[in-house]
C-alpha cells in the first residue's frame, strides 16, 4: 500500500481546488460582492496551503500505484474535494450548517443537483457560480483533469494511471482513445470544454443573461442540475429550454463518439448500439408522456417541450425542470422514475446504471434463459459487435446486485423521516443515480431541506456511491484493503 | 512516435515495455483478451483485442498512421501478412519477426523487398550472433559494436589474481601501454562511472572501450591471449542452436549438439554436416561427462527451460569449462543466475527489444534527436549512446579535462573520420565527430549538450 502516494494525490487535488477558487473569485469581483470576495480568498489560500503542505509532507519516493491505491485515491480525493468545496458556503454563512453545505457540495461534484436551499435567489453570484461549477468539474472527473494538466516526468509513473482513470470514469468498459492516458484525458477535456462553450453561445444568442448562460451551460455539461431560480428553468424562453434539452441529451452520450465524429469515423458512431438504445428510449418516453400530459397543457407544442425537457433532464441525470412534474399523471411519473435507473451512456457525464449496463443485463437474462432451453448451448454476449468477456458479464451482474442493495439500504436509512413512501424512495433513487429531484416532497420545485442532518449524510454517501460507481468507496472502507494480508 | 505491436507474448511484451519506457504512443494487439487486459493494466498503452490480420482491427489500432508497425507473434506467416497489410494501409515502417530458417537464409532478401519490410527480426539469429561474438573473445561476457564495428565495448569480469585487480585507473595506461578506457564498473548491484582514483577489485564487472587491435594488445599483456573457443558443446537443438552451429562451423570450430528429440536430431544432422549430434537428455550429468564436458572450450545451454539452463550451466562451470553461456529469458531468473555465478547470460527477447529501441531512436534521430545508437550494458544499469556532433553543440575544441560533465557521465570514445580515439584529458570534441557517452541509467540523455553542467 503506497500511503504516501495516496496522501500526495489528495494534496494535489486540494491544491488544484484552491487554484480553481480563482474562478468564483473573479465572478465575485465582477459583481463586487465584498463578502464573497473575502471568503473565496480565504478558501483559496487555505486550500493552497493545505494542499501544498500535504504534498510536501508526503513527497513519495515510489510512485507506483496499483488498482487498490487507485480506488482509495479516488474515494478520498472526492471526499476531500467535497469537504474543501463546502468551506466557502460555511464561512460566508450563506449555508451556515456544515451538513447542509457538505450535502450541497457533494450534490454539486457528483452532478446530482439535489439542493437543500429553500431560497436560491438570495445567494450571491459568486456562491451560485461555484455551486454550479462543481458540476462541471465533477462531470468529467477531477483526477482526470489532474492527469490532463500536470506534466509527468517519465513514462513509468503514469504507467498505472489507468487505474485512476477507470475508477473515475463511468461505465462497465472503459477504453482509451489514444495510447496514453494523459492524452486521452486531454482530448476528453477539450471535447467537454468545446461542447460547454457551444451551449453557452447558443444560450446567449437566445437572449439569456450572461451569468445565467454560464451557470446553465456548466450545469448541463456536468449533467448536474443546480438552477439559480426557485422554479429552475420554467421562467426562461422556450428557445433556451429547447437548447438545454438538446445539450442535456448530448452530454448523456459517450464522449468517445464525439471524438470519432471529429475523426470522421461516422460508421462507428452510427452503428453504436448504446447510442440507438439511448435515443430510442428517449423517443418512446417523450411520445408517451406528451400524449399523457396533453390534457394539462392543452396544446401539443407545450406538451412536447415539457415532456422532452423533463425526459432529457431525467435520463441524462441532469435534473433541471421546466414544469412541476409532481403534478403530472401517475403514468408519466412512473416512466420518469424508471428512466432514473437507466441514466445516460457509459463514458458520458451522466449518472444512473448506464445504458450499456442495462443492455448487458438484458442480454445476460436472454443468454441464461436460452441456456435453460438448450442446456448445452454456448452463446456469447455481444456489445458493439464484440463479444463481452465473462469477467465483465459477471461484474455487471454483481454491480447491479450491489447497486440494488445500497439503494435499498439508503432507502431504509432515510425512512426514519416521517415522509411519504414516494418521497423517500424517489429521494434515494434520485441521489444514488445523481439525478437531483425526486417526487412528492422531494420534487423538482421543493428540495431536500426537509431531511435531517443524518439523512443528508446518508444521501451524500449515496451520491458519492453513484458517481464513483460504488466499487471505489466500498473498497476504500473494506477492512481487507488496508491490512497487509 | 506512434507504434503498433501485434502479438504481446514474450517478445512482444518486452518490446512494448521498452518502447513505453521510451515514451512512445504504443498500441498493442493480441488475440487473447486476458493478455490485452493485463498489458493495459501494466502499461500506459491502448490495447486492441483481435487478430493482426483483420483489416478492421488494424484500422481500430491506427495502423494506417503508425510510424512503426511491429508484428511479433510466434507465427512467421501471420507476421508477414500483418506487416504487408499495415504497409499497404499506410504504416511508415514495418518490422516482422521471422524466425523460421526456411525464410531466413536465401529468401529473406526477396521477402523483405517484396513485402516492403523495413526490418526482419529474428530473435534466435540475433541471439546466436551475440553468442558467437562472445565465443570469439572468450574473456568477454558481452560485446557491443559501434560505428560499423570500428569501436567496441566489452564487458568482462576481473578474475581473482588478475593483473587488473587492485589497480587504480589512472595507473592503467602506463602499465599496459594500450589505449583503452574503463568506462563503467559494476560491483554487486551498484554501477559506477569511475574516476581516475577508482580502485578495481577482483569480482568487478568492467565495461571497457577500445579499438579491436588495442583490445587484443591489452589481452595479451594480461596474459589472456586471444584464444578462440575451438570446441563448443551446445545443449538443446533449438533454432538458436542451429544458427549458432552454422556460424561456428563456418569459422572452423568443432560443434557438438545434444538434443532429446529424435526428429530434431535427424533434422539437425541433415542440415549441419560437420556437427556431431547426440541424442540424449542433457540434464544427465553422466551423459555430459561422457561426451567430454571437461575437455571442451565452451558450453552453451539453449534448452527451452530457463531453470534447466541455469542448473546445467552451473554444473558445467563446476567442471571448469572455460566459457559457459546460458540462455535465460526471464529477467528475474537472469538476475538470480548472475548471483549464482553465471557470467554470460543471453536473453533473446532483451536483444530484440534493444534492436527495436535502437531503430526507434534512429528514426527519431532523423527527425531532430541526436542519438545515433543506444546500447544497454551492465544488466541495463548503464547506457551507452552514440551522438553526432552537430552545429548546435557549443563545447567544441575544448580539452575534455576542462569540460564540466554532469555526475555519472563519461565520454568513452570519439570517432573522427571513421577512426576511433580513446580520449584522454587533452582530446577535444570537434564538429562532425561521433561521440560515445556512457551514462548510469538513472539519467536520460537526448542530446549531447545534456552531458555538460
Amino acid at each position: 500500500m503506497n500511503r504516501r502516494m495516496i496522501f500526495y494525490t489528495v494534496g494535489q487535488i486540494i491544491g488544484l481546488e484552491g487554484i480553481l477558487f480563482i474562478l468564483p473569485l473573479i465572478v465575485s469581483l465582477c459583481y463586487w460582492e465584498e463578502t464573497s470576495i473575502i471568503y473565496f480568498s480565504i478558501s483559496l489560500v487555505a486550500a493552497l496551503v493545505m494542499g501544498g503542505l500535504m504534498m510536501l509532507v508526503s513527497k513519495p519516493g515510489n510512485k507506483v500505484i496499483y488498482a487498490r491505491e487507485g480506488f482509495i485515491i479516488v474515494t478520498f480525493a472526492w471526499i476531500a474535494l467535497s469537504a474543501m468545496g463546502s468551506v466557502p458556503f460555511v464561512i460566508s454563512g450563506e449555508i451556515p450548517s456544515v451538513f447542509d453545505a457538505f450535502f450541497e457540495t457533494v450534490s454539486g461534484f457528483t452532478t446530482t443537483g439535489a439542493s437543500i436551499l429553500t431560497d436560491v435567489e438570495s445567494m450571491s453570484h459568486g456562491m451560485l457560480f461555484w455551486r454550479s461549477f462543481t458540476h462541471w468539474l465533477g462531470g468529467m472527473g477531477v483526477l482526470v483533469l489532474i492527469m490532463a494538466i500536470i506534466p509527468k516526468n517519465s513514462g513509468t509513473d503514469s504507467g498505472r494511471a489507468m487505474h485512476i482513470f477507470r475508477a473515475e470514469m463511468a461505465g462497465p468498459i472503459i477504453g482509451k482513445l489514444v495510447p496514453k492516458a494523459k492524452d486521452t484525458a486531454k482530448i476528453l477535456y477539450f471535447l467537454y470544454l468545446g461542447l460547454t462553450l457551444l451551449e453557452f453561445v447558443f444560450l446567449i444568442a437566445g437572449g439569456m443573461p450572461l451569468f445565467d448562460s454560464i451557470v446553465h451551460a456548466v450545469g448541463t455539461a456536468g449533467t448536474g442540475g443546480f438552477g439559480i431560480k426557485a422554479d429552475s428553468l420554467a421562467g426562461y424562453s422556450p428557445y433556451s429550454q429547447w437548447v438545454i434539452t438538446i445539450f442535456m441529451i448530448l452530454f448523456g452520450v459517450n464522449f468517445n463518439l464525439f471524438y470519432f465524429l471529429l475523426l470522421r469515423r461516422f460508421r462507428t458512431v452510427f452503428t453504436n448500439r448504446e447510442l440507438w438504445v439511448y435515443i430510442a428510449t428517449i423517443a418512446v418516453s417523450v411520445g408517451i408522456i406528451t400524449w399523457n400530459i396533453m390534457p394539462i397543457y392543452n396544446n401539443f407544442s407545450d406538451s412536447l417541450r415539457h415532456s422532452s425537457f423533463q425526459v432529457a433532464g431525467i435520463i441524462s441525470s441532469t435534473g433541471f425542470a421546466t414544469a412541476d412534474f409532481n403534478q403530472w399523471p401517475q403514468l408519466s411519473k412512473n416512466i420518469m422514475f424508471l428512466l432514473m435507473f437507466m441514466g445516460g451512456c457509459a463514458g458520458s457525464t451522466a449518472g444512473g446504471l448506464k445504458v450499456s449496463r442495462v443492455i448487458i443485463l438484458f442480454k445476460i437474462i436472454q443468454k441464461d434463459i436460452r441456456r435453460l432451453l438448450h442446456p448445452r448451448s454456448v452463446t456469447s454476449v455481444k456489445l458493439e459487435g464484440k463479444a463481452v468477456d465473462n469477467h465483465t458479464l459477471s461484474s455487471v451482474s454483481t454491480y447491479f446486485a450491489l447497486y440494488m442493495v445500497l439503494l435499498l439500504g439508503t432507502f431504509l436509512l432515510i425512512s426514519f423521516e416521517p415522509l411519504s413512501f414516494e418521497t423517500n424512495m424517489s429521494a434515494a433513487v434520485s441521489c444514488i443515480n445523481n439525478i437531483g429531484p425526486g417526487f412528492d416532497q422531494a420534487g423538482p420545485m421543493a428540495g431536500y431541506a426537509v431531511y435531517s442532518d443524518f439523512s443528508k449524510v446518508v444521501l451524500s454517501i449515496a451520491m458519492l456511491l453513484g458517481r464513483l460507481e460504488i466499487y471505489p468507496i466500498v473498497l476504500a472502507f473494506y477492512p481487507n484493503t488496508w491490512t497487509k494480508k | 512516435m506512434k507504434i503498433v505491436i501485434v502479438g504481446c507474448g514474450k517478445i512482444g511484451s518486452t518490446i512494448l515495455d521498452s518502447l513505453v519506457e521510451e515514451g512512445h504512443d504504443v498500441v498493442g494487439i493480441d488475440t487473447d483478451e486476458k493478455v490485452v487486459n493485463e498489458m493495459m493494466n501494466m502499461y500506459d498503452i491502448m490495447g486492441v483485442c483481435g487478430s493482426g490480420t483483420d483489416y478492421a482491427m488494424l484500422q481500430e489500432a491506427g495502423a494506417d498512421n503508425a510510424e512503426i508497425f511491429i508484428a511479433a507473434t510466434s507465427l512467421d506467416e501471420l507476421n508477414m501478412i500483418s506487416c504487408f497489410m499495415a504497409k499497404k494501409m499506410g504504416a511508415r515502417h514495418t518490422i516482422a519477426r521471422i524466425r523460421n530458417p526456411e525464410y531466413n537464409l536465401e529468401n529473406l532478401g526477396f521477402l523483405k523487398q517484396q513485402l516492403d519490410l523495413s526490418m526482419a527480426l529474428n530473435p534466435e539469429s540475433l541471439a546466436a550472433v551475440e553468442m558467437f561474438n562472445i565465443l570469439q573473445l572468450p574473456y568477454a561476457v558481452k560485446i557491443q559494436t559501434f560505428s560499423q564495428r570500428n569501436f567496441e565495448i566489452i564487458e568482462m569480469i576481473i578474475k581473482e589474481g588478475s593483473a587488473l585487480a587492485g589497480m587504480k585507473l589512472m595507473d592503467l595506461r602506463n602499465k599496459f601501454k594500450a589505449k583503452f578506457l574503463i568506462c563503467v564498473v559494476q560491483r554487486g548491484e551498484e554501477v559506477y562511472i569511475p574516476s581516475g582514483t577508482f580502485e578495481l577489485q577482483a569480482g568487478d564487472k568492467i565495461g571497457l572501450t577500445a579499438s579491436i587491435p588495442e583490445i587484443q594488445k591489452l589481452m595479451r599483456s594480461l596474459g589472456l591471449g586471444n584464444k578462440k573457443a575451438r570446441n563448443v558443446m551446445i545443449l538443446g537443438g533449438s533454432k538458436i542452436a542451429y544458427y549458432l552451429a552454422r556460424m561456428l562451423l563456418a569459422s572452423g570450430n568443432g560443434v557438438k549438439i545434444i538434443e532429446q528429440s529424435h526428429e530434431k536430431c535427424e533434422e539437425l544432422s541433415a542440415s549441419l554436416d560437420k556437427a556431431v549430434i547426440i541424442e540424449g537428455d542433457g540434464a544427465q550429468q553422466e551423459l555430459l561427462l561422457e561426451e567430454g564436458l571437461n575437455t571442451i572450450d565452451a558450453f552453451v545451454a539453449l534448452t527451452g527451460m530457463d531453470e534447466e539452463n541455469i542448473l546445467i550451466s552451473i554444473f558445467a562451470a563446476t567442471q571448469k569449462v572455460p566459457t559457459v553461456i546460458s540462455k535465460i529469458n526471464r529477467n528475474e531468473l537472469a538476475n538470480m543466475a548472475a548471483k549464482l555465478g553465471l557470467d554470460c547470460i543471453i536473453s533473446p527477447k532483451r536483444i530484440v527489444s534493444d534492436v527495436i529501441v535502437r531503430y526507434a531512436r534512429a528514426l527519431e534521430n532523423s527527425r531532430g534527436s541526436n542519438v545515433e545508437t543506444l546500447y544497454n550494458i551492465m544488466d541495463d544499469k548503464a547506457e551507452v549512446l552514440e551522438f553526432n556532433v552537430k552545429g548546435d553543440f557549443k563545447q567544441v575544441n575544448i580539452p575534455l579535462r576542462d569540460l564540466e560533465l554532469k555526475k555519472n557521465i563519461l565520454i568513452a570514445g570519439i570517432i573522427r573520420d571513421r577512426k576511433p580515439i580513446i580520449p584522454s584529458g587533452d582530446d577535444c570534441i570537434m564538429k562532425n565527430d561521433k561521440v560515445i557517452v556512457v551514462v548510469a541509467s538513472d539519467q536520460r540523455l537526448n542530446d549531447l549538450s545534456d552531458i555538460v553542467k
Side-chain angles (χ1 to χ4, degrees):
Chain A
M1 178 73 68
N2 195 340
R3 286 171 202 232
R4 296 182 82 92
M5 192 64 193
I6 296 171
F7 207 63
Y8 181 80
T9 316
V10 174
Q12 261 185 339
I13 290 278
I14 293 179
L16 176 74
E17 194 172 17
I19 296 167
L20 290 168
F21 275 137
I22 291 172
L23 294 171
L25 188 61
I26 293 171
V27 174
S28 306
L29 283 170
C30 291
Y31 289 91
W32 201 251
E33 293 163 338
E34 284 166 32
T35 48
S36 311
I37 296 173
I38 296 168
Y39 293 122
F40 275 116
S41 310
I42 295 174
S43 312
L44 188 154
V45 174
L48 283 180
V49 168
M50 194 171 151
L53 276 179
M54 282 175 78
M55 286 166 72
L56 268 183
V57 171
S58 60
K59 185 95 190 139
N62 169 13
K63 289 194 168 180
V64 179
I65 57 164
Y66 298 96
R68 96 171 38 184
E69 280 94 347
F71 286 127
I72 294 169
I73 285 175
V74 172
T75 305
F76 286 116
W78 277 73
I79 293 173
L81 197 65
S82 306
M84 194 67 223
S86 61
V87 167
F89 295 129
V90 178
I91 56 174
S92 68
E94 295 202 32
I95 307 178
S97 152
V98 177
F99 293 104
D100 285 356
F102 185 71
F103 180 91
E104 195 78 6
T105 322
V106 170
S107 169
F109 278 115
T110 57
T111 74
T112 308
S115 179
I116 44 78
L117 292 175
T118 44
D119 187 8
V120 189
E121 291 171 39
S122 69
M123 299 270 285
S124 64
H125 286 90
M127 294 296 164
L128 280 178
F129 172 78
W130 173 241
R131 183 168 160 265
S132 289
F133 188 67
T134 53
H135 283 328
W136 198 82
L137 285 176
M140 193 53 82
V142 192
L143 287 153
V144 177
L145 178 61
I146 291 252
M147 204 183 285
I149 57 177
I150 294 202
K152 298 266 186 178
N153 39 14
S154 85
T156 43
D157 55 348
S158 61
R160 314 252 169 191
M162 212 39 207
H163 292 309
I164 291 182
F165 206 77
R166 216 174 271 147
E168 206 178 34
M169 291 295 290
I173 309 164
I174 297 298
K176 286 193 221 171
L177 295 168
V178 288
K180 285 193 183 132
K182 185 182 171 61
D183 296 338
T184 305
K186 270 189 198 157
I187 291 172
L188 287 174
Y189 258 97
F190 274 121
L191 287 169
Y192 191 41
L193 193 64
L195 278 171
T196 314
L197 284 174
L198 196 65
E199 183 185 355
F200 167 71
V201 169
F202 271 111
L203 286 178
I204 214 154
M208 194 185 268
L210 176 73
F211 181 75
D212 303 33
S213 304
I214 296 176
V215 167
H216 289 128
V218 294
T220 318
T223 66
F226 276 146
I228 49 168
K229 293 279 179 333
D231 58 358
S232 192
L233 278 139
Y236 292 94
S237 68
Y239 165 83
S240 312
Q241 295 180 355
W242 275 116
V243 168
I244 291 181
T245 306
I246 289 163
F247 275 93
M248 284 193 293
I249 296 174
L250 284 179
F251 281 109
V253 171
N254 191 336
F255 273 62
N256 293 6
L257 297 185
F258 296 127
Y259 181 64
F260 292 145
L261 271 186
L262 285 183
L263 293 184
R264 312 180 67 81
R265 281 165 63 178
F266 302 114
R267 245 186 85 83
T268 322
V269 178
F270 293 114
T271 53
N272 187 283
R273 183 72 180 270
E274 187 180 23
L275 179 66
W276 285 114
V277 173
Y278 177 65
I279 291 173
T281 313
I282 294 174
V284 171
S285 312
V286 169
I288 298 174
I289 295 177
T290 307
W291 164 76
N292 194 229
I293 60 172
M294 271 290 256
I296 303 179
Y297 296 96
N298 280 325
N299 112 25
F300 178 73
S301 75
D302 280 354
S303 307
L304 182 66
R305 177 163 51 85
H306 285 305
S307 66
S308 311
F309 192 97
Q310 261 56 241
V311 166
I314 295 291
I315 199 169
S316 69
S317 82
T318 311
F320 281 137
T322 58
D324 188 356
F325 51 76
N326 243 338
Q327 314 297 329
W328 287 3
Q330 200 60 43
L331 173 65
S332 301
K333 282 165 78 174
N334 288 357
I335 290 176
M336 302 228 288
F337 183 66
L338 293 181
L339 290 180
M340 285 185 176
F341 286 92
M342 179 133 153
C345 302
S348 69
T349 58
L353 271 174
K354 306 289 171 313
V355 180
S356 58
R357 265 205 198 92
V358 175
I359 297 176
I360 293 177
L361 279 172
F362 275 103
K363 291 197 168 183
I364 293 175
I365 296 173
Q366 195 187 9
K367 179 185 168 186
D368 280 6
I369 289 180
R370 193 178 301 167
R371 210 175 31 215
L372 290 175
L373 280 177
H374 309 282
R376 285 164 201 229
S377 72
V378 177
T379 40
S380 59
V381 171
K382 282 189 173 172
L383 187 68
E384 314 303 354
K386 275 187 217 159
V388 182
D389 64 315
N390 282 327
H391 179 73
T392 311
L393 288 186
S394 73
S395 81
V396 168
S397 322
T398 317
Y399 181 83
F400 183 66
L402 197 55
Y403 166 89
M404 287 312 288
V405 168
L406 291 167
L407 172 63
L408 296 176
T410 309
F411 170 63
L412 187 66
L413 284 174
I414 61 169
S415 295
F416 289 98
E417 310 281 339
L419 295 167
S420 71
F421 172 79
E422 199 183 353
T423 310
N424 280 339
M425 191 67 201
S426 66
V429 171
S430 183
C431 282
I432 207 163
N433 289 316
N434 302 138
I435 314 283
F439 295 112
D440 203 11
Q441 276 170 277
M445 301 298 157
Y448 287 74
V450 287
Y451 282 103
S452 67
D453 287 346
F454 170 73
S455 299
K456 279 173 193 155
V457 173
V458 172
L459 289 173
S460 301
I461 296 170
M463 290 189 272
L464 283 171
L465 282 169
R467 171 61 183 87
L468 300 179
E469 304 215 306
I470 301 175
Y471 288 123
I473 299 194
V474 171
L475 287 175
F477 293 104
Y478 192 65
N480 273 7
T481 315
W482 293 91
T483 51
K484 285 178 182 163
K485 272 177 231 160
Chain B
M1 206 154 41
K2 179 155 185 204
I3 301 175
V4 177
I5 302 176
V6 178
C8 301
K10 257 193 296 186
I11 299 272
S13 62
T14 316
I15 297 174
L16 193 139
D17 177 80
S18 27
L19 289 177
V20 170
E21 190 81 7
E22 292 272 301
H24 295 295
D25 288 354
V26 183
V27 182
I29 306 182
D30 200 288
T31 43
D32 188 345
E33 176 119 31
K34 259 192 207 139
V35 172
V36 175
N37 283 337
E38 198 175 317
M39 286 292 134
M40 279 176 60
N41 280 335
M42 274 168 63
Y43 304 109
D44 196 7
I45 60 156
M46 188 158 111
V48 176
C49 182
S51 156
T53 50
D54 180 342
Y55 186 83
M57 284 301 146
L58 290 177
Q59 201 161 40
E60 191 181 329
D64 42 346
N65 55 22
E67 198 75 27
I68 307 181
F69 181 93
I70 303 166
T73 69
S74 53
L75 298 169
D76 290 349
E77 292 79 8
L78 191 142
N79 293 340
M80 286 192 260
I81 293 176
S82 189
C83 278
F84 176 73
M85 289 175 74
K87 187 81 195 186
K88 292 289 169 205
M89 287 170 78
R92 299 275 292 281
H93 301 266
T94 52
I95 300 176
R97 174 185 178 196
I98 303 177
R99 52 184 193 157
N100 196 330
E102 224 171 87
Y103 300 123
N104 264 292
L105 303 173
E106 288 81 24
N107 304 331
L108 192 61
F110 177 75
L111 279 174
K112 260 178 78 175
Q113 195 193 355
Q114 294 302 317
L115 294 171
D116 215 351
L117 289 174
S118 310
M119 193 199 287
L121 264 188
N122 186 345
E124 282 77 14
S125 152
L126 287 169
V129 168
E130 182 144 342
M131 291 174 189
F132 180 72
N133 282 341
I134 291 171
L135 292 173
Q136 296 299 297
L137 300 173
Y139 40 80
V141 294
K142 202 173 178 190
I143 299 157
Q144 313 264 22
T145 3
F146 286 83
S147 285
Q148 287 97 41
R149 310 198 126 257
N150 277 327
F151 191 85
E152 293 192 325
I153 287 201
I154 293 179
E155 288 177 40
M156 58 183 283
I157 289 170
I158 300 181
K159 298 252 160 65
E160 205 69 52
S162 160
L164 287 172
M167 297 264 314
K168 283 212 169 86
L169 293 190
M170 50 167 97
D171 307 329
L172 283 176
R173 272 205 195 190
N174 296 334
K175 185 168 178 197
F176 292 109
K177 302 274 184 298
K179 281 192 176 168
F180 71 100
L181 187 70
I182 292 179
C183 50
V184 53
V185 179
Q186 183 179 4
R187 182 172 293 166
E189 289 287 298
E190 290 292 305
V191 162
Y192 306 90
I193 306 287
S195 62
T197 52
F198 193 91
E199 200 176 299
L200 295 172
Q201 289 175 7
D204 286 354
K205 188 169 169 187
I206 58 173
L208 199 133
T209 58
S211 61
I212 297 160
E214 294 292 331
I215 287 180
Q216 286 166 358
K217 209 156 111 190
L218 172 71
M219 291 307 149
R220 271 196 297 278
S221 46
L222 279 174
L224 288 169
N226 189 20
K227 202 180 107 204
K228 289 181 187 175
R230 303 301 305 174
N231 287 305
V232 182
M233 184 188 281
I234 301 176
L235 184 65
S238 60
K239 291 195 180 83
I240 304 183
Y242 170 75
Y243 289 119
L244 178 60
R246 260 174 63 100
M247 279 186 278
L248 287 171
L249 290 170
S251 59
N253 297 281
V255 175
K256 188 176 277 180
I257 302 181
I258 302 178
E259 163 62 43
Q260 251 179 320
S261 131
H262 183 70
E263 289 88 61
K264 266 196 185 162
C265 288
E266 298 255 312
E267 261 173 54
L268 285 170
S269 72
S271 51
L272 299 167
D273 276 346
K274 289 181 225 152
V276 180
I277 316 286
I278 310 285
E279 185 184 335
D281 181 5
Q284 290 174 343
Q285 302 184 346
E286 210 38 53
L287 175 86
L288 294 177
L289 293 172
E290 190 185 326
E291 291 303 329
L293 183 66
N294 37 24
T295 60
I296 55 170
D297 301 311
F299 178 81
V300 186
L302 296 177
T303 72
M305 303 271 294
D306 284 352
E307 294 83 351
E308 203 168 294
N309 288 339
I310 294 174
L311 291 173
I312 300 174
S313 296
I314 291 173
F315 174 67
T318 59
Q319 295 300 312
K320 304 269 184 292
V321 178
T323 306
V324 178
I325 301 180
S326 1
K327 182 197 90 169
I328 300 174
N329 250 325
R330 283 173 52 195
N331 260 341
E332 306 88 338
L333 287 177
N335 293 340
M336 299 280 291
K339 281 200 190 102
L340 290 170
L342 296 178
D343 306 332
C344 277
I345 293 164
I346 301 244
S347 152
K349 61 176 195 179
R350 194 75 247 167
I351 297 173
V352 170
S353 77
D354 283 358
V355 168
I356 301 270
V357 167
R358 229 172 287 148
Y359 187 82
R361 288 222 176 182
L363 272 188
E364 270 180 328
N365 176 31
S366 59
R367 301 189 314 185
S369 162
N370 288 324
V371 184
E372 178 102 327
T373 40
L374 164 116
Y375 286 94
N376 286 313
I377 57 169
M378 301 288 165
D379 307 334
D380 292 349
K381 292 194 180 79
E383 282 179 355
V384 186
L385 302 105
E386 183 176 343
F387 290 102
N388 283 322
V389 182
K390 293 188 182 152
D392 55 348
F393 184 68
K394 303 280 181 311
Q395 284 79 11
V396 286
N397 298 329
I398 299 176
L400 293 183
R401 69 160 57 85
D402 298 333
L403 273 184
E404 274 196 67
L405 296 186
K406 284 184 189 154
K407 231 184 115 205
N408 278 337
I409 287 182
L410 182 131
I411 296 177
I414 298 172
I415 294 159
R416 186 170 299 152
D417 302 328
R418 318 206 61 184
K419 288 200 183 67
I421 300 168
I422 302 300
S424 64
D426 303 321
D427 287 304
C428 316
I429 295 176
M430 287 173 22
K431 217 180 150 193
N432 297 329
D433 283 354
K434 286 180 176 172
V435 179
I436 290 164
V437 175
V438 179
V439 53
S441 281
D442 51 344
Q443 298 177 65
R444 161 69 45 92
L445 299 179
N446 287 317
D447 194 273
L448 189 55
S449 317
D450 294 346
I451 65 170
V452 282
K453 271 184 188 158

